[in-house]
Amino acid sequence: MSEIALTQTPIHIRHGSNIGQPLTRRDGVLKVTGAAKYAADQHPPGMLYAVLATSSIARGRVAHLDVAAAKAHPGVVDVITPANRPALALDPDEKSNPFMFRLDLLQTDRVRYAGQPIAIVIAQTLEAATEGASLLAPRYETEPARVGLDDGESTALQVVGPGFPAQAQRGDVETELAAAKKSITQTYETPAQYHNPMEPHAIVAAWEGDTLSIDTPSQGMAMAQGRLAGLFGIAPEKIHIRSPFLGGGFGGKGMISGPQVLGAIAARAVGRPVKLVLRRDQMYGPVGHRAPTRQTLRLGTDGDGALVGLDHHTKTMSSTFDDFFEPASTPSHTLYASTAIATSHAGVRADIGTPIFMRAPGEAPGSIALESAIDEMAQACGMDPLAFRLKNYAEVEPISGKPFSSKALRECYRQGAERFGWERRPLAPRQMRDRDGLLVGWGVGTATFPAVMFAAQAKAVLRRDGSGVMEIGAHDMGQGAWTALAQIAADGLGLDLDRLEFRSGTSDLPDAGIAGGSGHTATAGMAIYNAGADVIAKLADLATNDDHSPLFGAGNAGVVARGGRLFRRDDESRSESFSDILARAGLAQIEGRGAGGRPNPMEAHGQSDYAMHAHGAVFAEVKVDPELGQIRATRLVGAFAAGRIINPRMVRSQYYGGMIWGVSFALHEQAIVDRHSGRPMNANFAEYHIPVNADVPSLEAILVEEDDPHVNALGIKGVGEIGITGSAGAVANAVWHATGIRVRKFPITLDRLLEPQ
Ligand code: MOS
């Protein structure tokens, strides 16, 4: 049962609505039975296979490709290189907003990073295309690769991330740090990481005249449509993207990548449908990654352990030709009160593929450094790390002085600590052992992520038979968006869920905005809710103006919708079904539209009266072998407050996923780049370590209640990324507590624990 009040704001949803129910995934059965067709499962008639040849050098030019040998291979249909690549309407290096990649689309023979596409081979079979690509046997003119944070060209930064200021300050941090009673200065390093969704980037592209149909996983279909339209010089409506299922995205499918566009170029060139699927190793270059960072934190306190100065400086890296710089210092804007705060970023350009958003961009690497430094400062003050965090609790957003739209972090600390048993923690490190003699350590980390909204539209229909339709081109990359959004749709239309048809996952539907920044449920959800409210308002007009209706004269604000009926607010015994209202009016259906979002998606970052963030507290236990240095995370308890929870089952799953990534960040994950060739050396699942089942600790996620009257009318923040942010630091701090050794270079591997750098 669902119910809405027909007022603009705020919207009150009563218990017993679809929103808040722990429903299982709508697409779950399709996925576990293999019935869900992913992009690479498509086989249109006449389809050919494309395989990319990619550069094995990081810098230089391709001097020769043996195109004749590739073409002579049986089954090879065509080879596309910069010499014969069909013209495009736009220079792929043009960039008109921060939410697009500059692309490598075979525009020249220059090589700008290892793994850059240098040719496409198209063949009757995957095997022939693969063999053809290997026959190209490229020869290069190689220039020395600039690889690490110390090798590249320095660049002054004005903005980081998608447009945050690279520098920010409040108060005079130098004066405060100079006068501090206690202070620390430490430097932390985080490695390059790659998104590694189970499903690699893939495209099946088919042209009919100047109409392009594609199957490809996308976290932002409307943006992809616009980008492709620009490149091919056709209207966006000529491009039909289907993206019903994604095998993970994590930000790497937010913006269309070069290889996806190359698939469409190949299909156009040969005049047949073409499938192009990246191999795992080809995911390490042209489709984005998380850049490495080196972060220096300077903290100072007064005699009571209150922070007086916090300076967070990040050095990070982008490609030589594009502009995404990891905004790792930004969590210091939000988390802890300090008399003075300064954040800054410095950039380096190196011969790598362009980095991009990766789950909790900024906050993930930034918070593991900040949370480590906060622990080190607590230790310097002789204080319990949780007590130190509570001592420096930010009642308003520290950098801006603005009130938080809501902040139940204190409650997160309380519930998490109680559940974990934090009060039994000895202050000094290396005090606890388990029965097997392993060192046991406990750590805490604070989680934070901004409550971002983009812009979305939705269309709703109520039919005379009492059923409804909600249309929105939303993206379910595995997080459960279709399930949660359908719950909002049912409540928005005042229908039981089984009377609702939820249409999603194609670009022909209204633009749902990007599924990123943890903002999809809030953004698409508000569009959906408003589209439903638009329909219900029209329906209420029909009923309340009709003297044959039991609702006659009730007035627009006098009715509520639930279970397919409108009820008088003041007398719920008087009601009428949607079907009866439509039948009497002689209408087959009513349509409505809604929009959601904020005028500026950066609002959560300070362009509003309120600071809007989700928060959490994560408590971690690790066990360390005292001789071997082997580390295992054994237990994680996270307590998170993120506004209204649409579906607690999906949300818990998001928190678990984030927490596991936190373990991965702290202990496992890193891309190792060869300093001579500039090539990632572990571009495979055997050597790029992510947690497998045996690495995942006992997990518990507590959903702390939080009512946010400002963030949007439904009170939704976002849950997709915050789980990483507290967890990574909590695990790192637990390792210190177990061993007394502080490793400042992540991940904390056993060699670094035995010989800290
Ligand atoms: Mo997220 S990194 O915005 O998909």
Side-chain angles (χ1 to χ4, degrees), residues 533-701:
D534 187 34
V535 168
I536 297 299
K538 290 175 182 170
L539 196 68
D541 270 346
L542 288 176
T544 59
N545 292 321
D546 179 348
D547 57 12
H548 292 98
S549 168
L551 303 171
F552 177 65
N556 196 28
V559 298
V560 292
R562 67 165 186 272
R565 301 182 76 82
L566 286 188
F567 294 82
R568 272 189 82 115
R569 240 181 204 289
D570 55 1
D571 176 6
E572 296 218 352
S573 71
R574 295 167 73 181
S575 71
E576 191 171 30
S577 74
F578 296 171
S579 306
D580 288 348
I581 298 168
L582 286 170
R584 210 177 37 250
L587 293 173
Q589 61 175 52
I590 298 188
E591 246 182 64
R593 297 202 174 246
R598 299 196 194 106
N600 182 341
M602 303 304 161
E603 258 185 51
H605 279 273
Q607 296 171 23
S608 140
D609 294 341
Y610 293 96
M612 299 180 279
H613 304 270
H615 293 94
V618 182
F619 298 83
E621 177 184 86
V622 303
K623 294 188 177 180
V624 181
D625 186 307
E627 269 95 44
L628 302 176
Q630 188 184 49
I631 308 161
R632 286 205 180 280
T634 49
R635 194 159 65 92
L636 244 62
V637 174
F640 301 95
R644 185 189 299 279
I645 296 306
I646 303 301
N647 181 322
R649 185 191 304 266
M650 301 296 124
V651 165
R652 198 164 268 124
S653 167
Q654 284 295 288
Y655 289 152
Y656 289 161
M659 290 161 81
I660 293 167
W661 204 322
V663 173
S664 190
F665 204 117
L667 301 181
H668 298 280
E669 207 170 331
Q670 61 177 327
I672 297 166
V673 179
D674 178 69
R675 101 169 55 90
H676 302 292
S677 69
R679 281 210 303 262
M681 299 311 288
N682 56 343
N684 59 70
F685 270 160
E687 294 160 296
Y688 184 93
H689 288 169
I690 54 173
V692 298
N693 277 346
D695 299 309
V696 175
S698 146
L699 295 173
E700 206 171 329

Side-chain angles (χ1 to χ4, degrees), residues 195 219 249-252 254 357-361 449 477 514-518 721:
H195 300 76
Q219 294 174 239
F250 312 123
F357 317 101
M358 182 162 153
R359 203 172 187 185
F449 202 78
M477 53 184 149
I514 186 173
S518 301
E721 307 181 75

Side-chain angles (χ1 to χ4, degrees), residues 319-383:
S319 66
T320 54
F321 55 94
D322 211 337
D323 298 307
F324 187 87
F325 289 92
E326 184 78 16
S329 296
T330 52
S332 287
H333 295 169
T334 310
L335 269 183
Y336 299 103
S338 175
T339 314
I341 295 177
T343 62
S344 54
H345 297 81
V348 164
R349 294 189 174 282
D351 301 308
I352 52 160
T354 303
I356 198 56
F357 317 101
M358 182 162 153
R359 203 172 187 185
E363 271 73 11
S367 79
I368 196 172
L370 175 60
E371 288 303 300
S372 297
I374 287 285
D375 244 51
E376 298 205 54
M377 192 71 243
Q379 186 199 346
C381 294
M383 287 176 72

Side-chain angles (χ1 to χ4, degrees), residues 156-181:
L157 299 180
Q158 298 303 314
V159 297
V160 289
F164 313 140
Q167 273 81 31
Q169 59 180 33
R170 185 176 180 88
D172 182 346
V173 84
E174 295 305 334
T175 304
E176 295 296 341
L177 285 173
K181 288 281 181 299

Side-chain angles (χ1 to χ4, degrees), residues 132-204:
S134 75
L135 290 169
L136 288 170
R139 287 203 303 273
Y140 301 97
E141 282 168 19
T142 307
E143 295 164 40
R146 297 154 299 184
V147 175
L149 283 169
D150 298 313
D151 280 357
E153 290 172 30
S154 292
T155 180
L157 299 180
Q158 298 303 314
V159 297
V160 289
F164 313 140
Q167 273 81 31
Q169 59 180 33
R170 185 176 180 88
D172 182 346
V173 84
E174 295 305 334
T175 304
E176 295 296 341
L177 285 173
K181 288 281 181 299
K182 294 208 165 65
S183 60
I184 62 153
T185 298
Q186 293 295 356
T187 297
Y188 307 87
E189 285 192 40
T190 65
Q193 299 179 349
Y194 284 75
H195 300 76
N196 278 306
M198 285 301 289
E199 178 205 28
H201 289 61
I203 184 167
V204 176

